[in-house]
Amino acid sequence: MAWASIIGQEAIKGFLQRAILQGRIAPAYCFWGPEGVGKDALALEFAKLLNCQAPRRSAGGIEACDRCSDCQQAARLEHPSIRLVFALPPPKNRSESSALLGLSDDHIALLREELRRKAENPYHNITLPNALQIHISAIRDLQRTLSLAAPRPGRRRVVIISEADALTTEAANACLKTLEEPHDDVVFLLTTSRRDHLPPTILSRCQQLYCPALPEEALVAALRERHRLSETEARLIAAFAQGSYAQALTFLEQDLRNLRQQVLSLLRLALKPGRFRLQLLHAIEELFGSADRIRAELLLSLLAFWLRDAFILSHGGGSDLLLNADEEGTLRRFLQRFPEADIGAMVIAVEHALQQLRRYVSIPLLVVTLLMRCRSAAIPSRPRGVSQCPSSL
Ligand SMILES: [Zn+2]
């Protein structure tokens, strides 16, 4: 499928093809933009094309043949000239000379599985437990490889540093040295969704390519073609995915409507009159007790989208602006029952909780705090003797 395997991003695809055809390939590129829009996919496809034995030319373009042994190795992420660097768990011993030497057998097995998933779907984000940073040992491995392997005439070696903002300061400094060394046959491809977390010294060495969020129509088409979804289903998921195919895939694996009901029933409990605390705590424990960060993020995002829709309706916005168009009736009932609710404050509280999720926090505790904030925003405190206890949403 070559370039066609990547959804949208036509401007970047065209730019990279022209760079090859005009023989003006920069020593380093940085693909930046929101999460899940195909930055790694673009880098991997470009790397494959740079190593393809028989690239195909078309009108104004060039693409990998997908048939030669180089293309096949590249597609399996096993090409000796394409190096993929990403966050790994910290080495047990800081002086460990190689990033992989410090990993347990369990981690190695997980890593293999993650690489298999990445090869199958370049939009997959490699995640290993406790792997938050790219450590210096990974860059040392890279430097060793670059100094040892002999260049093959007419071919390029490619180093892909995925989510390069995860480089530790030490690793970033080492990486900068490597970028500064002349390697005529090496192309560095950095990807990041947090460009401002990369040192300017590294960025200034790279040609920066912005990869925008995918248009909703492109996502709908991809979901229908690749996953055989109905138009309605594809539209629902695309609306929630907000331009990220990776996010759409996460939603696809879940039963979105059911999850939305579960998180809304928590909100209902939190806004219940009378005694609600014990019941709420049990319900939070049940839904979030064993949830990992990704699942918690999904659940809270669904709550954020729902409240955002309530906000739109409360400000006179039309149904066409809603992500939860199928829930319009419930949303309107909610607004009628909580006429004084500060919905903007509720949305901000959920967004704050979503940011907090990225840190080491107890997820159930975070949700308790969030829902108590939502309660205060929905039911403003009143003088004694005045009751304001809506019975349900
Ligand atoms: Zn090929």
Side-chain angles (χ1 to χ4, degrees), residues 63-380:
E63 65 179 350
C65 75
D66 275 344
R67 290 187 175 178
C68 70
S69 54
D70 283 284
C71 278
Q72 286 174 13
Q73 279 183 314
R76 290 196 303 268
L77 301 184
E78 288 170 358
H79 199 289
S81 299
I82 302 174
R83 180 92 184 201
L84 184 60
V85 180
F86 46 86
L88 287 173
K92 284 183 214 124
N93 177 353
R94 258 186 63 76
S95 61
E96 201 71 81
S97 58
S98 163
L100 291 174
L101 277 179
L103 295 186
S104 66
D105 290 350
D106 284 353
H107 274 140
I108 298 275
L110 277 176
L111 178 59
R112 284 219 179 90
E113 176 58 17
E114 282 292 286
L115 284 170
R116 189 195 62 73
R117 293 183 70 182
K118 183 84 174 169
E120 206 176 272
N121 165 27
Y123 290 81
H124 174 68
N125 203 358
I126 295 179
T127 41
L128 293 164
N130 212 11
L132 299 169
Q133 293 182 307
I134 301 175
H135 299 274
I136 179 82
S137 47
I139 305 300
R140 287 201 194 112
D141 282 349
L142 178 64
Q143 289 167 332
R144 247 190 315 271
T145 318
L146 291 180
S147 64
L148 287 177
R152 296 179 305 162
R155 300 289 181 79
R156 307 248 176 188
R157 289 181 288 165
V158 184
V159 175
I160 301 174
I161 306 185
S162 177
E163 294 297 335
D165 51 86
L167 285 162
T168 61
T169 310
E170 206 181 6
N173 287 336
C175 187
L176 181 62
K177 280 211 183 75
T178 311
L179 283 171
E180 283 168 342
E181 281 165 19
H183 290 286
D184 288 343
D185 69 319
V186 181
V187 181
F188 286 86
L189 306 177
L190 278 61
T191 70
T192 179
S193 42
R194 300 189 302 166
R195 185 177 62 150
D196 51 338
H197 284 59
L198 268 174
T201 43
I202 287 193
L203 281 173
S204 68
R205 296 257 153 203
C206 302
Q207 178 143 28
Q208 297 176 39
L209 303 174
Y210 176 61
C211 309
L214 300 169
E216 196 165 312
E217 288 308 316
L219 274 183
V220 170
L223 288 167
R224 294 200 66 185
E225 275 164 30
R226 297 175 184 210
H227 305 279
R228 301 185 185 283
L229 294 192
S230 69
E231 174 86 21
T232 321
E233 210 71 24
R235 291 216 167 267
L236 180 70
I237 290 180
F240 277 118
Q242 304 211 308
S244 162
Y245 182 59
Q247 186 68 277
L249 292 182
T250 313
F251 289 147
L252 197 58
E253 286 171 12
Q254 319 269 346
D255 179 353
L256 270 193
R257 284 198 176 92
N258 182 25
L259 286 180
R260 184 180 58 190
Q261 283 320 315
Q262 289 186 48
V263 78
L264 283 181
S265 61
L266 275 191
L267 181 64
R268 272 189 198 101
L269 264 179
L271 303 182
K272 219 176 112 171
R275 293 175 158 200
F276 68 96
R277 283 194 173 76
L278 197 59
Q279 210 184 344
L280 179 65
L281 291 179
H282 280 310
I284 290 176
E285 188 55 39
E286 203 170 301
L287 192 55
F288 285 92
S290 56
D292 58 13
R293 191 178 67 82
I294 293 174
R295 188 174 166 85
E297 202 169 305
L298 172 59
L299 285 163
L300 291 188
S301 301
L302 289 171
L303 180 59
F305 294 144
W306 197 86
L307 288 169
R308 172 193 162 278
D309 282 353
F311 186 81
I312 289 174
L313 287 180
S314 69
H315 284 72
S319 321
D320 54 321
L321 296 173
L322 303 182
L323 289 176
N324 299 273
D326 57 329
E327 282 274 298
E328 190 178 342
T330 321
L331 283 159
R332 290 200 184 276
R333 279 197 295 282
F334 169 74
L335 293 174
Q336 277 164 13
R337 287 184 178 146
F338 296 90
E340 291 181 50
D342 182 350
I343 309 217
M346 294 168 89
V347 173
I348 290 170
V350 185
E351 276 167 6
H352 179 72
L354 278 164
Q355 280 168 12
Q356 293 287 107
L357 265 186
R358 294 181 175 270
R359 306 194 183 138
Y360 291 102
V361 289
S362 148
I363 295 175
L365 195 61
L366 182 80
V367 179
V368 172
T369 315
L370 163 66
L371 289 174
M372 293 316 289
R373 283 202 180 126
C374 285
R375 183 178 171 90
S376 326
I379 312 170

